[in-house]
């Protein structure tokens, strides 16, 4: 394959070895599948066909997104950034010329990376993941149920953070998590109370403080065997976990899974989720949403999986 | 309205997966992306619908497979099929 002129391998994320001349802040060590990242041509016209899916801005995701099929790959419009092109077959992502290089990288590790994961046969989940004793624990929650805060608490307790917002799951006899960007985006009110150790402040945009984990805490992107999935719930009556029946686990994981809205992708995602819950236990975690309880919550989750 | 003479078949927009033994199964309606859990009886009915059957044949099939079938088994099966039809999981032939 022809490589980008001037590009060098910078590091890995989600198992992709990034080659680029652009700056990156969240990469890990090690090897991976090649992924070239470069600035695309903003002058390319909008695709003639309607988008395959559109997402309107929400409080949790404050920008509009349109995804188009194009020439065996995808064009992606993100209102606050511009045009991305994702060519999984060519192992290539082009990005807009954006002065905010941190924001741009964070966008890359969102939808463009998830499209590449799908192409590779992996299952992208909207969830965080941490490593405990050499095993991965996925922390899933709809919307703002404190998964990033809990992930940050795990990091502060000395556990490796594998991903903060989107998690790449590799299915197979032993499902595993492929570590994602070494970043943490913590709410301002949480950051004010919870001192995040071993991380460098990159900025404070939108409602979040953006942190990059220190290199010594990142590790590589080698798959980490998945020991369990934890679904975050709130409770005012203490902290506890309970096993979830597989049928209920699929129901709760379905909205957290990323898929293109067509029959082939829905089928593939459904099959992947059922395979996942057959082999990996899912637990509900009931806990108060109080920072003072975080340490005990981390201990309980680490022990329960 | 489904009665014992109604001929029933699987919806063609449905993907089914059986979970571990004793856990039942799950269905996904591809067009609506709606997800449904099946208990063991529901899974028994779904598996029997590999070929088109009348609702009466399904009742007999479930009765033959279940220990101590309840007295209201027929109405339970017909009710299940009516709900499944409403959700596009099964169609009437």
């Amino acid at each position: 394959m022809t490589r980008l002129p001037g590009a060098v391998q910078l590091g890995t994320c989600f198992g992709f070895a990034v080659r680029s001349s652009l700056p990156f802040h969240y990469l890990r060590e090690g090897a991976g599948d090649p992924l070239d990242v470069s600035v695309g041509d903003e002058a390319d016209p909008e695709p003639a066909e309607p988008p395959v899916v559109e997402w309107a801005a929400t409080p949790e995701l404050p920008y509009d997104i349109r995804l188009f099929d194009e020439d065996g790959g995808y064009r992606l419009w993100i209102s606050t950034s511009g045009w991305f092109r994702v060519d999984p077959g060519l192992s290539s992502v082009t990005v807009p010329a954006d002065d905010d290089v941190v924001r741009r990288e964070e966008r890359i590790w969102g939808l463009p990376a998830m499209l590449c994961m799908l192409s590779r046969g992996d299952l992208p989940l909207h969830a965080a993941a941490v490593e405990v004793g050499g095993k991965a624990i996925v922390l899933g929650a709809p919307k703002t149920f404190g998964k990033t805060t809990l992930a940050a608490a795990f990091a502060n307790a000395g556990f490796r953070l594998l991903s903060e917002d989107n998690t790449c799951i590799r299915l197979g006899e032993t499902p595993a998590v492929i570590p994602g960007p070494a970043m943490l985006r913590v709410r301002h009110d949480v950051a004010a109370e919870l001192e995040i150790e071993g991380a460098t402040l990159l900025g404070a945009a939108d409602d979040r403080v953006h942190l990059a984990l220190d290199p010594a805490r990142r590790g590589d992107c080698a798959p980490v065997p998945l020991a369990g999935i934890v679904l975050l719930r709130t409770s005012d009556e203490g902290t506890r976990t309970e096993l979830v029946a597989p049928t209920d686990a699929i129901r709760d994981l379905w909205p957290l899974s990323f898929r293109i809205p067509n029959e082939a992708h829905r089928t593939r995602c459904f099959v992947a989720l059922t395979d996942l819950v057959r082999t990996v236990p899912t637990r509900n975690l009931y806990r108060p949403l109080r920072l003072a309880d975080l340490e005990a919550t981390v201990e309980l989750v680490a022990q329960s999986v | 309205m489904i009665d014992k003479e109604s001929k029933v078949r699987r919806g063609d927009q449905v993907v089914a997966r059986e979970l571990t033994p004793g856990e039942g199964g799950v269905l996904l309606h591809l067009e609506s992306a709606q997800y449904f859990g099946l208990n063991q009886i529901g899974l028994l009915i779904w598996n029997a619908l590999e070929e088109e059957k009348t609702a009466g044949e399904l009742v007999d099939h479930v009765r033959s497979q279940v220990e101590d079938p309840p007295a209201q088994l027929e109405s339970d099966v017909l009710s299940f099929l009516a709900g499944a039809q409403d959700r596009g999981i099964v169609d009437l032939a």
Side-chain angles (χ1 to χ4, degrees), chain A residues 247 263 266 274-275 278, chain B residues 13 17-18 30-31 35:
Chain A
T247 48
E263 291 184 7
R266 282 180 182 145
T274 51
D275 286 346
R278 278 171 172 164
Chain B
Q13 287 285 303
R17 298 281 285 174
E18 195 165 342
L30 289 170
E31 196 177 324
Y35 160 84

Side-chain angles (χ1 to χ4, degrees), chain B residues 34-85:
Chain B
Q34 290 288 303
Y35 160 84
F36 307 96
L38 291 179
N39 61 19
Q40 286 178 274
I41 301 297
L43 184 63
L44 198 59
I45 294 171
W46 179 262
N47 286 339
L49 280 172
E50 194 169 355
E51 293 175 355
E52 179 183 303
K53 286 187 172 55
T54 65
E57 288 171 329
L58 288 169
V59 173
D60 292 342
H61 175 73
V62 173
R63 184 171 282 126
S64 73
Q65 298 289 314
V66 177
E67 272 185 45
D68 300 324
Q72 77 284 7
L73 179 70
E74 180 178 317
S75 65
D76 285 352
V77 171
L78 294 179
S79 171
F80 172 85
L81 291 172
Q85 186 196 12

Side-chain angles (χ1 to χ4, degrees), chain A residues 83-169:
Chain A
W83 284 102
F84 293 72
R85 180 169 171 81
V86 183
D87 277 299
L90 298 174
S91 304
S92 161
V93 173
T94 64
V95 299
D98 190 333
D99 291 337
D100 188 339
V101 296
V102 172
R103 178 178 63 187
R104 180 172 64 192
E105 183 182 356
E106 291 175 1
R107 298 286 183 270
I108 293 169
W109 302 129
L111 270 175
M114 290 197 283
L115 292 166
C116 292
M117 288 178 213
L118 286 179
S119 174
R120 203 169 52 180
D122 295 330
L123 172 67
L125 272 188
H126 181 54
V130 294
E131 181 178 345
V132 176
K135 300 285 179 67
I137 300 173
V138 166
L139 308 170
K143 300 182 180 174
T144 51
F145 260 60
K147 69 178 185 300
T148 303
T149 302
L150 184 57
F154 268 92
N156 267 2
F159 298 107
R160 184 162 74 116
L161 179 68
L162 302 178
S163 56
E164 164 246 37
D165 191 39
N166 296 311
T167 289
C168 177
I169 295 179

Side-chain angles (χ1 to χ4, degrees), chain A:
Chain A
M1 167 178 276
T2 304
R3 289 286 170 216
L4 294 170
V8 293
Q9 181 171 322
L10 301 173
T12 60
C13 182
F14 290 130
F16 297 107
V18 176
R19 281 179 56 95
S20 182
S21 57
L22 303 174
F24 280 77
H25 298 85
Y26 297 128
L27 300 180
R28 299 176 190 264
E29 299 169 357
D33 305 316
L35 184 69
D36 288 335
V37 181
S38 59
V39 173
D41 186 353
E42 289 282 316
D44 282 352
E46 180 163 334
E49 297 294 319
V52 292
V53 61
E54 291 182 78
W55 291 275
T58 64
E60 294 80 30
L61 205 68
Y63 39 87
D64 296 316
I65 301 173
R66 296 199 295 273
L67 178 67
F68 302 82
D69 262 329
E70 191 181 73
D71 301 334
Y74 302 96
R75 288 278 298 287
L76 181 66
W77 167 256
I78 299 178
S79 60
T80 52
S81 297
W83 284 102
F84 293 72
R85 180 169 171 81
V86 183
D87 277 299
L90 298 174
S91 304
S92 161
V93 173
T94 64
V95 299
D98 190 333
D99 291 337
D100 188 339
V101 296
V102 172
R103 178 178 63 187
R104 180 172 64 192
E105 183 182 356
E106 291 175 1
R107 298 286 183 270
I108 293 169
W109 302 129
L111 270 175
M114 290 197 283
L115 292 166
C116 292
M117 288 178 213
L118 286 179
S119 174
R120 203 169 52 180
D122 295 330
L123 172 67
L125 272 188
H126 181 54
V130 294
E131 181 178 345
V132 176
K135 300 285 179 67
I137 300 173
V138 166
L139 308 170
K143 300 182 180 174
T144 51
F145 260 60
K147 69 178 185 300
T148 303
T149 302
L150 184 57
F154 268 92
N156 267 2
F159 298 107
R160 184 162 74 116
L161 179 68
L162 302 178
S163 56
E164 164 246 37
D165 191 39
N166 296 311
T167 289
C168 177
I169 295 179
R170 179 149 303 163
L171 298 160
E173 202 168 311
T174 306
V177 168
I178 314 296
M183 70 179 178
L184 261 176
R185 292 169 295 182
V186 186
R187 291 201 325 259
H188 287 288
D189 58 321
V190 173
E193 296 290 327
L194 185 72
E195 187 180 347
I196 311 291
E197 299 162 12
T200 302
L201 178 67
L202 296 185
D206 47 62
D207 66 336
R208 301 264 166 172
V209 173
H210 298 236
L211 300 154
L213 298 181
D214 291 346
R217 308 193 64 183
R218 297 183 184 192
D220 61 19
C221 274
V224 181
L226 177 54
I229 299 167
V230 174
L231 299 172
L232 308 188
R233 318 285 186 189
T234 58
S235 167
D236 294 327
E237 297 168 6
T239 304
R240 64 186 170 88
T241 67
E242 67 178 17
L243 272 174
V244 179
T247 48
D248 294 336
I250 296 170
R251 180 199 61 211
D252 293 339
L253 291 171
W254 180 250
L256 303 182
S257 62
F258 172 73
R259 58 198 173 268
I260 308 290
N262 63 34
E263 291 184 7
H265 277 273
R266 282 180 182 145
T267 301
R268 183 187 164 282
C269 177
F270 182 63
V271 168
L273 282 179
T274 51
D275 286 346
L276 183 65
V277 302
R278 278 171 172 164
T279 50
V280 177
T282 302
R283 287 179 171 79
N284 280 327
L285 168 66
Y286 296 94
R287 87 282 189 222
L289 278 178
R290 288 193 301 258
L291 293 177
D293 293 291
L294 273 176
E295 204 174 311
T297 303
V298 166
E299 196 173 324
L300 177 69
V301 173
Q303 286 174 352
S304 70
V305 176

